[in-house]
């Protein structure tokens, strides 16, 4: 979503509902794994941080890792966790940011060489978890006394979270931005160890330590989300979080003011906004940009405007599978075959359907036209039905044959053996095409204005019934008739 141009985060209704489910789980004492597409964690402006801010705003208190107050320098992100210096000598472990790592006490002769060798070596899972918990202990104000130093320092910190030694468990959620950790997968190990330790302590929900880990599937071991104990950890996929109402809201706010605030102008604008919403789906940045770029709403100019918008925005980095869309329900999470596309933000769940990035519609013949038809059908079909209902009064007035015969010849077909509908009811159910046939056959006599209206209504209804979108001329004429 373009910064400053559209509402973001919890201000959108569908996203607010989605974040509310996450907060409910945290408030109920459950730990959560929040999975976001990798593209959201890398994009400029980092929408993931803004969404997380919305969640943190709703928490009474929390502990955040890595800490914002003293962010780790980039050069130190791959370092191993620190250990207290012993007898004035360096332990051999690289320092953890924000800690008194004892560097002043390192002898000048061996310090740089030892530091350089540690800098080149990648962290192991145990070291990464130990470093994370050491930083967590500092954030929580745990002392470094003998009660937290033993054969398993990691387990000691976790036990302190459950209240061992103090009798008071730490109930503030521990929020870990895994993508900012030196070893992101360590956050998943923290989640599992914390849940296991809490379970062993037998604490009730309102007294449990709990964690919220925000990560991408690329940060975690393959298949981990399916391996977590569902009774203790809730996995929240950023999948289907954006609703049709969210897209429509973004489009409405990004549209230029109406040049002609008449009924015709409002109806044409409604069709335009519905078209942008349908074409862009859950891709809010494209929806906002297209709403500004496609100012006249002419169907013939839509494809060119969409090309221009996509060319100016960051392009998709992965191509979704060929058959990613359909009528089946997209499920509660992306299939494994879609993970690469989901991480690249090129496939999403929206309005109960799988949706691909709008850029792929541009290379599929008739794909954009099909979405235009859906939008026009959504806005215009109810109005066409209302206009048909109203035109039955004209049919009764202009009939040149008895209503019973008009109903028999042009009314709705009935199954053999069923009783016929009363003539007045049958006329009320006549379709626009049957009315036109009655006019052509001389059964009704219409004046020129009525004939023109019926012809425009019938043509539009037939095209939409055959999945053909209205071009600019037909749309303009229909809007004029519907607004008379």
């Amino acid at each position: 979503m373009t910064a400053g141009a559209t509402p973001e985060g919890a201000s959108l209704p569908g996203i607010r509902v989605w974040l509310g489910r996450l907060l409910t789980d945290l408030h109920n004492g459950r730990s959560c794994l929040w999975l976001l597409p990798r593209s959201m964690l890398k994009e400029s402006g980092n929408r993931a941080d803004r969404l997380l801010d919305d969640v943190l705003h709703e928490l009474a208190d929390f502990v955040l890792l890595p800490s914002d107050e003293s962010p780790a320098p980039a050069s130190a992100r791959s370092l191993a966790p620190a250990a207290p210096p012993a007898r004035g000598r360096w332990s051999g472990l690289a320092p953890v940011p924000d800690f008194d790592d004892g560097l002043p006490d390192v002898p000048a002769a061996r310090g740089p060489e030892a530091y350089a060798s540690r800098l080149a070596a990648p962290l192991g899972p145990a070291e990464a978890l130990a470093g994370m918990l050491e930083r967590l202990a500092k954030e929580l104000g745990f002392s470094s006394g003998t009660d937290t130093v033993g054969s398993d320092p990691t387990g000691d910190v976790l036990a302190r979270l459950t209240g061992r030694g103090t009798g008071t468990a730490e109930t503030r959620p521990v929020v870990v931005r895994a993508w900012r950790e030196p070893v992101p997968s360590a956050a998943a190990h923290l989640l599992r160890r914390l849940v296991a330790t809490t379970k062993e302590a037998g604490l009730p929900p309102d007294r449990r330590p709990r964690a919220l880990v925000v990560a991408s599937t690329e940060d975690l071991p393959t298949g981990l989300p399916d391996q977590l104990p569902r009774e203790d950890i809730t996995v929240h996929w950023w999948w289907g979080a954006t609703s049709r109402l969210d897209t429509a809201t973004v489009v409405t706010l990004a549209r230029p003011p109406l040049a002609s605030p008449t009924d015709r102008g409002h109806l044409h604008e409604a069709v335009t906004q519905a078209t942008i919403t349908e074409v862009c789906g859950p891709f809010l940045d494209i929806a906002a940009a297209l709403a500004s770029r496609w100012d006249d709403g002419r169907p013939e100019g839509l494809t060119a405007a969409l090309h221009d918008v996509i060319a100016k925005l960051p392009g998709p980095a992965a191509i979704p599978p060929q058959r990613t869309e359909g009528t089946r329900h997209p499920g509660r999470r992306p299939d494994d075959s879609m993970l690469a596309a989901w991480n690249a933000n090129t496939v999403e769940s929206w309005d109960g359907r799988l949706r691909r990035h709008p850029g792929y519609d541009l290379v599929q013949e008739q794909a954009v036209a099909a979405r235009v038809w859906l939008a026009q059908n959504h806005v215009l079909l109810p109005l066409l039905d209302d206009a048909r209902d109203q035109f039955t009064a004209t049919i009764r007035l202009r009939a040149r044959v008895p209503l019973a015969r008009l109903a028999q010849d042009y009314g709705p077909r009935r199954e053999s053996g069923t009783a016929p509908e009363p003539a007045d009811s049958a006329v009320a159910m006549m379709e626009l095409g049957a009315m036109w046939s009655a006019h052509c056959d001389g059964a009704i006599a219409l004046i020129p204005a009525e004939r023109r209206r019926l012809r425009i209504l019938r043509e539009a209804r037939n095209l939409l019934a055959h999945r053909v979108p209205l071009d600019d001329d037909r749309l303009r004429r229909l809007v004029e008739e519907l607004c008379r």
Side-chain angles (χ1 to χ4, degrees):
M1 191 182 300
T2 306
T6 56
E8 303 200 19
S11 62
L12 293 172
I15 292 178
R16 184 166 62 246
V17 170
W18 193 98
L19 295 179
R21 296 192 189 105
L22 176 69
L23 286 162
T24 296
D25 282 332
L26 287 174
H27 290 319
N28 289 339
R30 295 173 66 87
S31 289
C32 298
L33 174 61
W34 181 1
L35 294 173
L36 289 165
R38 168 58 65 185
S39 60
M40 284 181 62
L41 304 176
K42 295 170 107 178
E43 67 186 11
S44 104
N46 201 333
R47 184 156 49 117
D49 275 327
R50 298 194 295 271
L51 288 169
L52 182 57
D53 284 344
D54 290 327
V55 172
L56 300 182
H57 181 72
E58 298 297 325
L59 298 174
D61 201 0
F62 56 87
V63 182
L64 184 63
L65 294 178
S67 171
D68 277 337
E69 282 71 18
S70 302
S75 61
R77 298 236 171 178
S78 61
L79 303 181
R87 298 189 180 92
R89 300 194 59 178
W90 191 13
S91 66
L93 292 177
V96 172
D98 309 333
F99 275 78
D100 180 9
D101 47 43
L103 284 178
D105 301 323
V106 177
R110 69 172 284 172
E113 293 80 1
Y115 185 85
S117 65
R118 289 293 171 181
L119 184 62
L123 286 178
E127 290 177 310
L129 178 59
M132 183 183 296
L133 284 167
E134 188 174 359
R135 285 180 279 127
L136 176 60
K138 180 184 178 184
E139 291 293 325
L140 295 173
F142 289 173
S143 66
S144 58
T146 58
D147 58 338
T148 60
V149 179
S151 59
D152 181 16
T154 296
D156 289 336
V157 174
L158 291 169
R160 284 287 299 270
L161 288 171
T162 64
R164 193 195 72 177
T166 65
T168 302
E170 177 57 62
T171 58
R172 288 180 292 172
V174 177
V175 181
V176 184
R177 296 174 290 188
W179 78 95
R180 292 190 172 189
E181 287 291 330
V183 181
S185 61
H189 296 303
L190 168 65
L191 188 64
R192 298 180 99 164
R193 289 286 301 271
L194 177 61
V195 169
T197 304
T198 301
K199 198 169 188 178
E200 183 180 352
L203 297 174
D206 60 339
R207 292 182 52 207
R208 289 177 187 165
R210 57 200 185 278
L212 168 61
V213 172
V214 188
S216 161
T217 56
E218 296 179 359
D219 296 330
L220 307 174
T222 302
L224 176 72
D226 294 327
Q227 300 166 9
L228 296 174
R230 297 302 175 90
E231 67 276 10
D232 302 310
I233 302 173
T234 305
V235 180
H236 292 265
W237 292 81
W238 190 255
W239 179 250
T242 304
S243 69
R244 179 178 287 272
L245 182 57
D246 293 338
T247 310
T249 300
V250 166
V251 170
T252 299
L253 294 177
R255 288 292 293 164
L258 275 176
S260 175
T262 61
D263 288 346
R264 291 192 298 274
H266 282 291
L267 179 53
H268 193 278
E269 177 66 14
V271 175
T272 300
Q273 292 189 21
T275 301
I276 298 170
T277 299
E278 187 62 51
V279 166
C280 298
F283 301 92
L284 303 185
D285 53 345
I286 298 177
L290 184 60
S292 298
R293 167 68 177 78
W294 191 42
D295 53 357
D296 61 6
R298 295 180 65 252
E300 287 79 359
L302 173 60
T303 300
L306 186 58
H307 267 294
D308 291 347
V309 164
I310 291 176
K312 293 177 182 178
L313 293 173
I319 298 177
Q322 289 297 314
R323 299 181 62 84
T324 57
E325 295 192 37
T327 56
R328 70 179 179 87
H329 194 277
R332 302 181 65 180
R333 50 154 291 181
D335 293 339
D336 291 342
S337 63
M338 298 180 191
L339 284 182
W342 174 73
N343 274 306
N345 195 33
T346 59
V347 65
E348 249 292 359
S349 169
W350 185 78
D351 201 32
R353 293 177 292 162
L354 291 170
R355 285 296 304 265
R356 294 194 302 173
H357 188 281
Y360 295 103
D361 285 345
L362 293 175
V363 297
Q364 299 287 333
E365 188 176 358
Q366 296 299 317
V368 174
R371 302 208 188 280
V372 173
W373 169 79
L374 279 171
Q376 291 181 354
N377 208 52
H378 175 73
V379 176
L380 298 173
L381 191 58
L383 300 178
L384 281 167
D385 287 341
D386 289 344
R388 185 205 65 81
D389 290 343
Q390 295 167 8
F391 206 80
T392 58
T394 302
I395 296 299
R396 293 187 183 94
L397 179 65
R398 303 298 185 187
R400 301 174 66 181
V401 298
L403 288 185
R405 180 180 168 188
L406 192 65
Q408 178 182 347
D409 293 345
Y410 302 100
R413 295 179 181 177
R414 64 179 187 274
E415 298 291 335
S416 59
T418 59
E421 290 280 347
D424 195 61
S425 299
V427 170
M429 292 187 289
M430 284 177 63
E431 297 293 342
L432 291 168
M435 295 177 186
W436 183 255
S437 296
H439 161 69
C440 293
D441 295 341
I444 56 176
L446 302 176
I447 62 175
E450 295 166 345
R451 185 167 59 249
R452 179 179 183 276
R453 180 177 180 82
L454 179 58
R455 184 178 65 251
I456 291 173
L457 295 177
R458 168 186 168 272
E459 181 183 42
R461 185 66 178 84
N462 281 349
L463 288 172
L464 293 176
H466 290 86
R467 304 176 69 88
V468 178
L470 307 181
D471 59 23
D472 183 56
D473 287 339
R474 289 187 175 95
L475 178 60
R476 178 178 47 80
R477 289 197 299 267
L478 177 61
V479 167
E480 288 176 355
E481 285 300 326
L482 291 175
C483 295
R484 286 188 187 278

